């Protein structure tokens, strides 16, 4: 087996990130990446298996860790006693979204790729996957409200499934606008604070919880 030269993979990844940011996945060229990295396309294939493998090497670690952070917040909230969930929702949701924001700004360019350069890869449904998780845990929260209030909280039975999914998808699309607009972090924090108030009060009105 041919031994891979040290440092080449790192240089390929740096040049690939630049190319993907400029052109997106579909229009990015392995030949140009190889030339900028002073290597060959064969070298890229031997290390990453091709263009999608190369793109995945850049974005997969942050996509998975971001999703894990989000999922842990959802699971921890769901594990609370049912009677505490409604009272804790605003604070817990805000702290979770701020943790996600912090992580995004630590990996800003990778999220630019995930959100706006991933069409044609398995990551093109990144936002949809997050919305599906949020939808699942929204139902769990609604069930907790019903279990707590019984027939008193019939409003949770009247929310169409399509509405929940569309609203959760919209929440993430608007959340990621801080990346698309390249907001300074301080401005992004203010934006997310307002967004969280908007979503919390909307759900509070619809689901009729205190």
């Amino acid at each position: 087996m041919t031994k891979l030269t040290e440092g080449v993979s790192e240089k390929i990844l740096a040049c690939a990130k630049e190319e993907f940011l400029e052109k997106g996945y579909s229009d990015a060229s392995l030949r140009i990446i190889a030339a900028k990295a002073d290597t060959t396309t064969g070298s890229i294939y031997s290390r990453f298996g091709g263009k999608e493998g190369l793109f995945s090497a850049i974005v997969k670690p942050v996509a998975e860790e971001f999703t894990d952070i989000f999922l842990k917040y959802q699971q921890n909230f769901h594990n609370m006693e049912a009677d505490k969930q409604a009272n804790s929702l605003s604070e817990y949701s805000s702290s979770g979204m701020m943790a996600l924001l912090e992580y995004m700004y630590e990996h800003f360019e990778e999220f630019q790729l995930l959100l706006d350069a991933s069409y044609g890869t398995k990551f093109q449904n990144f936002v949809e996957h997050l919305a599906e998780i949020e939808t699942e845990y929204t139902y769990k929260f609604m069930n907790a409200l019903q279990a707590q209030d019984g027939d008193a909280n019939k409003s949770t039975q009247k929310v169409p499934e399509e509405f929940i999914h569309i609203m959760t998808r919209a929440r993430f699309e608007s959340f990621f606008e801080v990346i698309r607009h390249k907001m300074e972090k301080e401005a992004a924090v203010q934006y997310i604070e307002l967004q969280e108030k908007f979503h919390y009060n909307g759900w509070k009105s619809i689901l009729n919880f205190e």
Side-chain angles (χ1 to χ4, degrees), residues 67 99 110 199:
T67 304
E110 286 81 359
H199 282 280

Side-chain angles (χ1 to χ4, degrees), residues 137-152:
Y137 279 89
T138 298
Y139 273 109
K140 290 182 178 182
F141 174 61
M142 290 165 61
N143 289 336
L145 291 178
Q146 287 181 334
Q148 178 185 352
D149 298 337
D151 290 338

Side-chain angles (χ1 to χ4, degrees), residues 42-144:
S43 175
I44 294 176
Y45 276 98
S46 66
R47 288 172 167 81
F48 302 101
K51 188 162 72 167
E52 184 159 3
L54 182 54
F55 188 86
S56 179
I58 298 171
V59 303
K60 183 178 179 180
V62 297
E64 290 185 343
E65 188 167 359
F66 182 93
T67 304
D68 285 345
I69 294 169
F70 174 57
L71 191 53
K72 285 175 183 177
Y73 266 90
Q74 294 282 8
Q75 291 169 341
N76 289 339
F77 180 78
H78 177 64
N79 288 335
M80 288 182 182
E81 295 294 331
D83 60 349
K84 295 180 180 178
Q85 288 186 20
N87 290 334
S88 304
L89 179 60
S90 178
E91 180 180 353
Y92 203 87
S93 178
S94 294
S95 65
M97 297 308 273
M98 287 301 174
L100 294 176
L101 182 72
E102 186 71 28
Y103 185 80
M104 280 200 306
Y105 272 74
E106 292 172 358
H107 305 278
F108 198 91
E109 289 183 338
E110 286 81 359
F111 277 92
Q112 286 181 300
L113 293 176
L114 275 170
L115 298 170
D116 293 324
S118 63
Y119 183 77
T121 77
K122 62 183 179 181
F123 300 99
Q124 68 182 33
N125 294 319
F126 174 66
V127 177
E128 179 64 21
H129 179 54
L130 296 173
E132 289 172 353
I133 295 172
E134 176 85 350
T135 299
E136 176 187 351
Y137 279 89
T138 298
Y139 273 109
K140 290 182 178 182
F141 174 61
M142 290 165 61
N143 289 336

Side-chain angles (χ1 to χ4, degrees), residues 11-27:
K11 194 169 183 181
I12 291 171
L13 288 169
C15 294
K17 183 189 286 188
E18 181 180 300
E19 177 77 357
F20 288 133
L21 283 169
E22 180 183 348
K23 299 177 182 176
Y25 172 79
S26 298
D27 293 334

